Amino acid sequence: MKRKHKIYLCMTIFLLTIYIGLLAILCLSEHGDSTATIRSFKDAFWYSLVTLTTVGYGDLTPVTPLGKAVGVIFLLMSAGIMMTLFGAAVSFVTSEGLPLFLLSFQRKKNWYYFADCSVESITLAANIHREEPDTVIIFGEKTDEQTESPDFPCLFINASPARIVAHKKNIGPKCKIFLMKENDIGINAHAVDLHTLPVEVYARTTNGQDHLSGNINFFHSYDCCARQYWHSKPLCSTEKTIVIIGFENYGRCILKRAILTNILSVDQHIAYHIFGDAEGFLATHNHLHETFSLNETSETTDSLIFHKELWELNHTILAQADRIIICPDDEPEGWNIYWRLNSYYQIRGAIHLHSNRKTPGVTYFGTNEEIYTPNQIMRTSLNRAAVIINEIFCKSVSYPTKTWEELDSFHRESKITAADHILMKIRVLMQDESITELTPEITQKAYQKYCETKKSATVLDTYRRLDHTRWLRFYTYYNWTYGPARNDFNRQHPMLCSYEQLNTEQKRERDAAWELLGSVAAELNETI
């Protein structure tokens, strides 16, 4: 960049030298002629301006042969200058020059920069603009022919994030940068050196990681969809058979959240029937048999039954299902399954379809408008309870702890899972399955109910069993096993055993998850 500036400077000096030289020649040649109207350097300068701008007043004209020659040069230069000025103006308007100029007047506002202009990017940007109308939306590329143009104010600037950030000049809030394509952080040229910039980066990933380091944050759109699904359509105590059709990215995340969150009773026995390729999933999570009955229905615990055959062959299971979740990654395939189920099968339970199309009479979930929101992607709401739980934990112990930003992915996930189960705890305490929102008021009422009911030793024991089941599921899902002492490297823990094998002190540890309700209610109330 410095070398280019030097070239421009040298060219400018060269052109100025030629221009001044021509003015001097014109002045000297005309000065000796008594009939000349150009008598001074000032006259020569005025004549050159009038000629170069093509105004042509005619008040001053050269009369000598050399003066006329200089005049011809100015005339020829005027055409080039006008073409150059016109081209520069067009280039300024059509390139990033004008948008960058407009940005200069909005540095105190929030800037949101999207590296691409996809459907997901436009949806998130629209939701941001809806919440913050006085904000600046910047796209790093134009929309393609298959994507509708945004219907909100935005700028298209083909410039790197570094250039955008430099243009902000550290005025106002930090710029937020979004990489909305899957795993784009490692391949997009716009992602180079983002960790060195004073920005907040949010990158879409498929590996489930929540945080990298410094200013790099990941969001997992499939997991966001799964969490949103079980938050808005939580498990009910009457549901005993759940069918999942489609076991790709969405299906795996929906089952994961069901495993980690759907614990309503210590004696529940829900059968999850999964249709799709589960070989890789089972190979990765090879300790699920310790907390679930695998491929065989149980009357004492939850079952995970993975079907290798086509779902179309299982008329009886589909007819018995309390809930059928259709979630292949390919949305048209999902609609195909939905219409075939309704056309040819006897279905008594609810059918939930993952779809971006909103059709009357269809229970759908996971639309772009629901998933690509500031609260989902930037985790200001989705993980709020998890962050609060970690803050409460940090305050309650005397030994060194880590802030939310310092936690690794495993311990973040541990807090997230505990927070997601708070809704289930509230539904259990209040005996109200219509509750789907975590509000300060309902959380406080649930905590009061817990304080009243825990006085019964039997009820307290039930609460402890319930949370121990949730805790066991989390650790076995991440392939932890029993060990006489906790060892994070070997993934061993002394409490990875049945509830009956726990000693009195270990059983009391399960009270903490319930006692948190009071603190969470207070913290939620403060953040509203």
Side-chain angles (χ1 to χ4, degrees):
M1 186 62 70
K2 290 183 178 179
R3 185 171 179 271
K4 185 182 290 186
H5 286 165
K6 287 182 179 180
I7 293 174
Y8 287 153
L9 180 61
C10 291
M11 288 181 64
T12 302
I13 293 173
F14 176 71
L15 292 174
L16 281 174
T17 302
I18 292 177
Y19 175 63
I20 294 172
L22 289 172
L23 289 179
I25 293 171
L26 178 62
C27 181
L28 292 172
S29 64
E30 295 292 302
H31 184 71
D33 194 308
S34 60
T35 62
T37 55
I38 301 174
R39 310 292 297 176
S40 65
F41 191 85
K42 182 178 68 172
D43 292 338
F45 178 67
W46 172 250
Y47 168 74
S48 70
L49 289 181
V50 170
T51 305
L52 290 173
T53 56
T54 69
V55 175
Y57 288 125
D59 55 340
L60 298 174
T61 57
V63 295
T64 65
L66 184 57
K68 290 179 180 180
V70 172
V72 171
I73 294 174
F74 282 145
L75 285 172
L76 294 175
M77 287 176 63
S78 67
I81 288 174
M82 292 304 296
M83 290 297 294
T84 301
L85 290 175
F86 180 75
V90 171
S91 176
F92 180 77
V93 172
T94 58
S95 69
E96 67 269 15
L98 179 60
L100 285 173
F101 176 74
L102 295 174
L103 277 178
S104 303
F105 300 97
Q106 306 181 75
R107 291 191 175 106
K108 293 183 179 180
K109 297 181 180 180
N110 273 318
W111 288 12
Y112 295 90
Y113 173 91
F114 294 83
D116 66 281
C117 192
S118 61
V119 173
E120 294 83 359
S121 298
I122 292 174
T123 302
L124 177 56
N127 283 326
I128 290 173
H129 182 263
R130 195 172 295 114
E131 293 184 12
E132 300 179 54
D134 190 32
T135 194
V136 180
I137 307 294
I138 307 166
F139 291 101
E141 63 180 35
K142 296 279 188 179
T143 54
D144 55 36
E145 296 179 356
Q146 298 178 345
T147 305
E148 293 186 8
S149 297
D151 57 359
F152 50 85
C154 61
L155 296 171
F156 294 93
I157 305 177
N158 186 19
S160 67
R163 186 175 179 188
I164 297 296
V165 173
H167 200 69
K168 204 170 195 302
K169 297 184 177 180
N170 292 323
I171 300 174
K174 286 184 179 180
C175 183
K176 296 178 178 63
I177 295 176
F178 298 89
L179 300 168
M180 301 295 288
K181 294 179 181 178
E182 291 181 0
N183 303 317
D184 210 20
I185 191 73
I187 59 175
N188 193 322
H190 284 167
V192 176
D193 294 332
L194 283 180
H195 65 284
T196 64
L197 301 177
V199 297
E200 296 175 25
V201 181
Y202 298 89
R204 187 177 175 188
T205 183
T206 57
N207 64 15
Q209 193 173 14
D210 184 64
H211 189 72
L212 180 60
S213 63
N215 62 337
I216 307 293
N217 300 281
F218 289 113
F219 66 91
H220 194 305
S221 57
Y222 305 112
D223 197 46
C224 286
C225 176
R227 291 179 68 190
Q228 181 70 20
Y229 172 75
W230 290 114
H231 275 234
S232 60
K233 298 174 175 62
L235 180 75
C236 295
S237 57
T238 56
E239 294 179 293
K240 305 300 179 187
T241 304
I242 294 177
V243 172
I244 299 175
I245 301 177
F247 200 59
E248 299 162 279
N249 290 307
Y250 286 110
R252 285 194 293 271
C253 287
I254 285 173
L255 180 62
K256 170 189 174 181
R257 290 300 162 187
I259 289 171
L260 301 181
T261 308
N262 289 349
I263 304 101
L264 279 171
S265 169
V266 295
D267 57 359
Q268 72 182 37
H269 47 92
I270 302 165
Y272 294 90
H273 292 267
I274 301 100
F275 291 91
D277 183 7
E279 187 175 350
F281 179 85
L282 290 171
T284 301
H285 306 283
N286 61 338
H287 288 279
L288 287 175
H289 63 277
E290 296 177 15
T291 48
F292 288 89
S293 172
L294 287 186
N295 295 323
E296 186 175 347
T297 305
S298 171
E299 293 297 322
T300 57
T301 187
D302 286 357
S303 310
L304 300 177
I305 303 169
F306 297 91
H307 296 267
K308 293 183 179 180
E309 73 276 12
L310 297 174
W311 64 265
E312 290 92 337
L313 298 173
N314 290 270
H315 288 251
T316 303
I317 292 174
L318 295 170
Q320 293 173 347
D322 298 295
R323 182 189 303 211
I324 299 175
I325 306 170
I326 304 173
C327 52
D329 285 359
D330 182 54
E331 191 172 315
E333 181 185 349
W335 276 97
N336 189 337
I337 294 169
Y338 177 83
W339 293 124
R340 279 190 286 159
L341 275 174
N342 279 280
S343 299
Y344 305 112
Y345 290 80
Q346 179 184 353
I347 306 296
R348 69 175 181 85
I351 300 178
H352 297 164
L353 172 66
H354 172 255
S355 172
N356 272 309
R357 288 165 51 190
K358 300 177 181 180
T359 305
V362 177
T363 303
Y364 50 84
F365 68 92
T367 64
N368 283 339
E369 288 76 11
E370 294 173 332
I371 302 305
Y372 297 105
T373 68
N375 282 340
Q376 289 272 32
I377 304 307
M378 292 184 277
R379 308 298 179 91
T380 54
S381 175
L382 192 64
N383 284 351
R384 182 173 59 174
V387 174
I388 289 172
I389 285 177
N390 189 65
E391 290 174 351
I392 294 169
F393 173 73
C394 292
K395 295 175 184 176
S396 63
V397 298
S398 58
Y399 53 85
T401 56
K402 293 183 178 181
T403 64
W404 181 258
E405 289 72 22
E406 294 170 334
L407 292 177
D408 59 32
S409 294
F410 175 78
H411 289 93
R412 276 196 179 195
E413 185 61 41
S414 174
K415 301 293 190 297
I416 289 170
T417 303
D420 284 354
H421 193 252
I422 286 177
L423 183 62
M424 285 293 181
K425 287 182 170 71
I426 291 173
R427 286 157 64 93
V428 169
L429 289 165
M430 302 302 294
Q431 297 181 353
D432 184 354
E433 295 188 343
S434 66
I435 299 172
T436 59
E437 291 293 330
L438 197 66
T439 64
E441 295 77 16
I442 198 66
T443 306
Q444 184 60 42
K445 288 180 181 178
Y447 178 65
Q448 292 171 356
K449 190 69 176 288
Y450 167 73
C451 293
E452 295 169 5
T453 54
K454 73 173 183 177
K455 296 174 183 177
S456 166
T458 304
V459 174
L460 181 60
D461 192 67
T462 299
Y463 291 156
R464 290 172 174 175
R465 285 176 179 271
L466 193 68
D467 196 68
H468 184 62
T469 300
R470 178 202 64 79
W471 187 88
L472 277 178
R473 286 193 181 187
F474 176 79
Y475 275 85
T476 53
Y477 182 85
Y478 284 95
N479 296 330
W480 283 60
T481 57
Y482 173 81
R486 176 163 180 163
N487 186 316
D488 286 17
F489 180 79
N490 293 328
R491 294 179 180 260
Q492 292 182 337
H493 202 289
M495 291 174 63
L496 277 164
C497 57
S498 67
Y499 181 78
E500 288 74 19
Q501 293 174 289
L502 298 177
N503 60 40
T504 304
E505 184 179 347
Q506 289 173 330
K507 289 179 180 179
R508 280 201 201 99
E509 286 189 30
R510 302 272 58 89
D511 295 341
W514 297 88
E515 296 287 352
L516 278 171
L517 285 168
S519 301
V520 169
E523 293 286 346
L524 284 173
N525 203 34
E526 288 182 8
T527 57
I528 291 179

